[in-house]
Amino acid sequence: MKILIVEDEVQLLAALKDIIAAKGDQVDVATNGIKGEELALTGTYDIIILDIMLPGKNGLEVLKELRKEKIKSAILLLTAKAEVEDKIKGLDLGADDYLTKPFSTGELLARLRALGRRGGIETGEELELNGLVLDKQTYQIRAGGEEVKLGAKEFRLLEILMENHKQILPKERLIEKVWGYESEAEYNVIEVYMSFLRRKLAAIGAEVSIKAIRGVGYILEEKDD
Ligand code: CA
């Protein structure tokens, strides 16, 4: 997931960033409401952790603007104990949840899991295997900061392989699913597409490999290190 944290208390911000980055999520940060809003308006975050008391522009104003602009990211408000009215106001303005400071790491992670399941943004549909991410919206694959775009057939093949990894997928089944019919010609075509895919996976250093099982089909495996 991609997560934005908007928080002006630098120690808390650093701690939050560490906790979230440790679970493998991508984290961006802002220490004031203006910068936070600017980043949030890109609409690319699954979850935004938004402090209420912020310099520049407060969290509730930022929240109001984001919902006005139809940003669908899930928003978790951070509030101080005394800010009961702000909490209610925040939920009214379209926040998804709130956490009262101070909170435990476990509490934070539980909220993030719940919000992640809710599925904040529509474009966030991805498949992940051993660090390889397939973005169903953009047809891109990425691994370790590298990314490359797939053609429609390559995308569909990899999607099926990732959804059924560790299973041997018969060639016939792949052809039927990707080309929609069985044809003698496609038996060679699928090999060509598999080699395109292997090349792209290698280009981004993905830790998965497509193995051909002679006379049967293909299997996607995680590379051991
Ligand atoms: Ca604050």
Side-chain angles (χ1 to χ4, degrees):
M1 285 196 294
K2 199 171 167 193
I3 298 179
L4 171 67
I5 312 170
V6 190
E7 169 60 72
D8 60 317
E9 288 161 50
V10 287
Q11 276 182 319
L12 177 60
L13 179 64
L16 290 173
K17 194 181 172 187
D18 285 349
I19 292 164
I20 294 166
K23 31 178 226 107
D25 289 320
Q26 195 186 328
V27 189
D28 287 339
V29 300
T31 53
N32 65 68
I34 294 162
K35 181 71 189 164
E37 181 179 295
E38 193 185 309
L39 287 171
L41 282 172
T42 60
T44 58
Y45 297 98
D46 298 289
I47 300 175
I48 299 168
I49 300 174
L50 183 62
D51 187 29
I52 290 186
M53 294 298 283
L54 286 168
K57 192 167 187 179
N58 84 46
L60 292 178
E61 290 171 48
V62 174
L63 169 64
K64 202 170 167 181
E65 183 66 19
L66 296 181
R67 291 314 188 211
K68 198 184 113 207
E69 294 299 322
K70 308 269 184 280
I71 299 297
K72 294 192 175 67
S73 311
I75 295 177
L76 175 64
L77 286 177
L78 299 185
T79 69
K81 262 213 174 79
E83 300 164 352
V84 184
E85 277 175 36
D86 285 344
K87 253 179 242 176
I88 297 163
K89 211 167 159 190
L91 293 171
D92 275 348
L93 287 171
D96 296 274
D97 204 352
Y98 62 84
L99 256 181
T100 306
K101 296 177 191 175
F103 47 83
S104 69
T105 303
E107 219 178 335
L108 171 72
L109 292 176
R111 300 296 172 94
L112 292 179
R113 274 196 300 275
L115 291 174
R117 275 197 298 271
R118 205 172 298 178
I121 54 170
E122 287 157 354
T123 54
E125 235 194 301
E126 293 178 338
L127 286 176
E128 197 269 333
L129 179 67
N130 208 21
L132 169 70
V133 176
L134 175 71
D135 188 328
K136 293 185 178 190
Q137 194 74 19
T138 62
Y139 283 21
Q140 278 179 327
I141 49 171
R142 58 174 196 270
E146 299 283 331
E147 58 181 28
V148 66
K149 201 173 170 72
L150 301 181
K153 296 265 191 290
E154 295 169 342
F155 167 80
R156 188 70 186 116
L157 278 172
L158 186 61
E159 187 186 31
I160 297 165
L161 286 166
M162 286 179 80
E163 280 169 349
N164 303 282
H165 81 282
K166 287 180 183 158
Q167 288 175 44
I168 298 171
L169 294 162
K171 254 186 180 179
E172 293 83 348
R173 196 172 139 204
L174 287 168
I175 289 165
E176 220 178 276
K177 283 190 174 252
V178 175
W179 281 268
Y181 56 91
E182 282 193 49
S183 141
E184 208 52 52
E186 313 298 1
Y187 274 75
N188 301 321
V189 170
I190 194 169
E191 283 168 22
V192 173
Y193 275 97
M194 286 300 183
S195 73
F196 289 160
L197 263 181
R198 286 197 186 101
R199 216 171 301 164
K200 288 187 176 177
L201 290 170
I204 60 165
E207 295 292 328
V208 301
S209 57
I210 299 171
K211 284 199 180 131
I213 313 290
R214 225 182 151 74
V216 185
Y218 294 91
I219 181 168
L220 184 69
E221 288 181 345
E222 298 170 49
K223 281 185 193 167
D224 316 312
D225 30 7

